[in-house]
Amino acid sequence: MKKILMVVTSHDSLGNTGKKTGIWLSEFTEPYFGFLDNNVEIVIASPKGGTTPIDPNSLKEEALNESTNRYLNLENKVLEHTVSLEKINFQEFDGIFYPGGHGPMWDLSEDEKNAELVSNFYNSGKIVAAVCHGPAALIKGKKASGESLLKNKKVTGFSNLEEKAVNLEKVVPFLLEDKLTELSNNHYEKTDVLFAPYIIQDGFLLTGQNPASALPLVEKFLELLK
C-alpha cells in the first residue's frame, strides 16, 4: 500500500484583521478522499499537531461540495488529530501533499521543520504536490545543491489577480505569485481565468493554482503514485 503525508496549517489568524483563517476545507477533502478511495494510506501532520483551524469562509454553503459534506459527516474528524511535524520520518512516505487556505502563508512558509521535510521529499525523488496557497510551504525548500527547490521549476499557485479578487492582497504577508516567480527564476505560470482549474507538472513537483485545481492535482498525483 502506498503511503502519503498531507501537511496542513496550524495558523488561524488572518493577519491583523481580527478575522480567522486556516485550511480551505475542500482543498483538503478532495485530495483526502481521492487518496482514501484509491487505497492510499494517509498521515496528516501540522506544525503544532492537534486540531487544524478551518477557514470559516470555506464552510459557507457556496464553498461546500460532496467531499466537504462527506468530511463534515465523519464521526472521527481527522483534522482534529494531526501529528506534529517533529514526529514525521519522510522515509516512510511515497509523497507529500500541501492543501491551501491562507494559513500556510504565515506558518508553513517559515517553518524550519517543514523546510527540512519538503527538501528531503524532493531530493529523494518523492512526489511533492501543493495547491492554491499550499505552495507557500515550498518556498524555504532546498535542492541538494543548496539552491531553492523551485529554481528553474515550472510552478503555479494562487495568483495576484485572485488575491485581489478576494480583497486580501494587502493582508497576506507576501503575494504568492510574486514569491514563486522570484524563486522559480520566472517559471511561474497561471491561467488568467479567475478561479479556473490549472495544474502544472514538472517532474515529481505538482502544483495547482486555486481551490478548483485540487481534484485535478490529486488525479495527477495518483497517476505518478502508480
Side-chain angles (χ1 to χ4, degrees), residues 6-9 23-29 32 44-46 49-55 58-59 71-72 74 76-83 99:
M6 293 185 78
V7 177
V8 295
T9 185
I23 193 171
W24 193 263
L25 188 58
S26 68
E27 292 174 30
F28 170 77
T29 56
Y32 176 75
I44 303 159
S46 64
T51 298
T52 290
I54 297 172
D55 189 312
S58 72
L59 294 168
Y71 176 79
L72 293 169
L74 287 179
N76 178 28
K77 302 285 196 297
V78 289
L79 289 174
E80 294 173 6
H81 311 285
T82 69
V83 180

Side-chain angles (χ1 to χ4, degrees), residues 28-50:
F28 170 77
T29 56
E30 289 183 340
Y32 176 75
F33 290 117
F35 292 129
L36 200 66
D37 294 345
N38 281 278
N39 300 311
V40 176
E41 187 181 346
I42 309 157
V43 173
I44 303 159
S46 64
K48 294 180 181 176

Side-chain angles (χ1 to χ4, degrees), residues 54 95 102 148 226:
I54 297 172
H102 280 87
S148 170
K226 289 172 185 168

Side-chain angles (χ1 to χ4, degrees), residues 19 29 63 79 121 142 146 164 180 182 185 223:
K19 294 178 181 173
T29 56
L79 289 174
F121 270 87
K142 302 285 186 193
K164 284 175 183 165
L180 296 177
E182 172 199 337
N185 201 16
E223 279 176 33

Side-chain angles (χ1 to χ4, degrees), residues 207-218:
T207 46
Q209 184 174 325
N210 47 38
S213 309
L215 205 49
L217 195 66
V218 78

Side-chain angles (χ1 to χ4, degrees), residues 10-185:
S10 295
H11 185 87
D12 71 350
S13 56
L14 193 59
N16 299 319
T17 63
K19 294 178 181 173
K20 292 295 184 186
T21 189
I23 193 171
W24 193 263
L25 188 58
S26 68
E27 292 174 30
F28 170 77
T29 56
E30 289 183 340
Y32 176 75
F33 290 117
F35 292 129
L36 200 66
D37 294 345
N38 281 278
N39 300 311
V40 176
E41 187 181 346
I42 309 157
V43 173
I44 303 159
S46 64
K48 294 180 181 176
T51 298
T52 290
I54 297 172
D55 189 312
N57 288 320
S58 72
L59 294 168
K60 290 181 177 174
E61 191 173 347
E62 62 269 22
L64 298 177
N65 60 25
E66 187 182 341
S67 71
T68 54
N69 293 336
R70 184 176 167 189
Y71 176 79
L72 293 169
N73 285 322
L74 287 179
E75 226 169 277
N76 178 28
K77 302 285 196 297
V78 289
L79 289 174
E80 294 173 6
H81 311 285
T82 69
V83 180
S84 163
L85 287 182
E86 295 289 339
K87 296 179 178 171
I88 296 297
N89 175 6
F90 80 95
Q91 292 171 319
E92 295 175 10
F93 299 92
D94 299 293
I96 189 169
F97 192 104
Y98 292 96
H102 280 87
M105 295 284 284
W106 279 273
D107 64 352
L108 290 172
S109 66
E110 294 287 336
D111 190 275
E112 293 297 340
K113 183 62 185 174
N114 175 64
E116 179 190 326
L117 254 185
V118 73
S119 303
N120 284 334
F121 270 87
Y122 179 87
N123 292 315
S124 301
K126 297 172 188 279
I127 306 165
V128 174
V131 67
C132 198
H133 289 90
L138 310 178
I139 64 179
K140 289 195 89 167
K142 302 285 186 193
K143 296 177 182 175
S145 63
E147 292 179 312
S148 170
L149 182 157
L150 296 170
K151 187 175 181 185
N152 297 327
K153 302 295 282 187
K154 288 193 291 182
V155 65
T156 190
F158 209 58
S159 70
N160 290 352
L161 285 174
E162 287 167 327
E163 205 68 84
K164 284 175 183 165
V166 297
N167 297 313
L168 291 174
E169 77 276 12
K170 300 234 167 56
V171 174
V172 287
F174 55 91
L175 288 169
L176 187 58
E177 176 181 331
D178 291 354
K179 182 63 77 175
L180 296 177
T181 300
E182 172 199 337
L183 292 175
S184 68
N185 201 16

